[in-house]
Amino acid sequence: MILELHLLQSFPVSNLNRDDLGAPKSATFGGVPRARVSSQALKRAARDEFIKHGLDKTDLGDRTKRIIFAASDLLSEDHQADPRATDILAAGLAGLGFGVVDTRRSQYLLFIGNKAAHALAEYCEQNWDDLTQVVEAAEKEAKKATSKKKANPDKDPVAAFTKSKKSKDAAATRKLLDASYAADIGLFGRMIADNTEFNIAAASQVAHALSTHAVTTEFDYYTAVDDLKKNDEPGADMIGTIDFNTACYYRYANLDLTQLRENLAADDALVAKAAQAWLGAFIDSTPTGKQSTTAARTMPETLLGTVRDRGAWNLANAFLKPVTGHDLMTTSTQRLFEHFQTLRGFYGSRALRTVAGAALTSDTAPLPAEERVDSLDTFTSRLLSTALDTTA
C-alpha cells in the first residue's frame, strides 16, 4: 500500500530554506523561476515533529558523527577512567569497518538506532585488551613513521592501523547497525558507504516543494543602532539586506507501507505509530529557516490524500503553466483537483483504495462529494485506517 499526501501551503515574507548565498532556494519549472524548499529541509522539519505525533524517543534514531562520545558515557567506571578510552572506542569503531578521523568522530554522519552507542560500548568492553594493543601498536607505528619523516602528522594513527586490520565480528557490526526499531530510519532510509549491506531503502519519498506560480526574490534593507551610542552620534551601526520571497507551495510526499513494514521487522504496532507520525508531522511541520525574523508559521490550506495499491502520482504538472491572478490559493486548488481528476479519467482508479480532500478557503469541486472531508481528524483517520488495514 502507498499513502500519498498533497498539500498547498502559502507563506508570507519568509526564507524557509537558504542556498549558499543566503537567498531562498529556487528552481526553474515551466520556463519560469519558482520558489523551492528542498526535500531534505522538509524531512528534517518532519523528523523534529515525530515525537509530537505519537513516536517516543526510543522509537527514533540519531544522525551523528559523535557515536564515540556517546559510547564513552556508557562505559563502566574503570574503563571511563582509562586515559585512552576514546582512542580505544575509535579503534573499535574503525575495526568494525567505519572511517574515523583524528577528532574521534566518524568520517561522515551515521544514521543509527539509539541502541548503537550501547552496542559500541559493549563491544569495546568485551575486547578492551585487544583494542588497547591496537592503540599501542598504532602509536608505535606513528612514532616510527614520524622519525623517518614518512608520516603525515595530521593522519590519525588508530584509523590508519585498523584500516588493514578490521574485525571480522560481523555480529557486532549487525548489532551496531540494527535499525529495525528506529522508525525514522525505516521511513527515510540509510546509506552507509563503508557497509553497503546495511543500507536501508527509504519507505518515504519526499519531493522538493515548488511554488505554483512565478516568484522573484526580494530584499529587506535593514539598519541597527548601538544602544550605548551617545545621542549626538548620528548614523546606523549596522546595515545590510536579507533575501526573502512570498509563495504558495505545492508539497508532495508518499509512504510505502509495505517497505516500511519490511524495514521495521514486521512490527505492526511500530508501523502504525510511524505512519501516523509521518502523516501528522508532514502536515504540521514547517522548515525553520529565518523563522525568528519572519514568523511564517502557516498551515496547509488545501489537502489531498490517497491510498493506492501501486504507483504514485506527483501532481506538480498541474502547475507546469504557472498560476496567475490575485487569488493564487483558489486557482492552485482548482488546478490540483482538476489535474488529479484528469489523471484518474485517463489512467483509471482501480489502484486507488481511498481518496480524501479538503480545502479551507477554496471549493473542493471537482472532487466527488464522498471524497470530501471537513476536518483534519476525518482526513487522517480515513487515510490511515485504509492504509494500515490493507497492510497488516
Side-chain angles (χ1 to χ4, degrees), residues 5 20 65 67 89 95-96 99 155 162 264 291 307 310 312 317 325 348 374:
L5 181 63
D20 57 338
K65 291 183 177 181
I67 184 175
L89 287 165
L96 290 173
K155 191 172 184 179
T162 56
L264 299 181
Q291 286 287 12
V307 178
R310 63 186 184 280
N317 282 342
D374 57 7

Side-chain angles (χ1 to χ4, degrees), residues 274-286:
Q276 178 180 344
W278 177 90
L279 184 58
F282 271 100
I283 293 172
D284 279 354
S285 61
T286 302

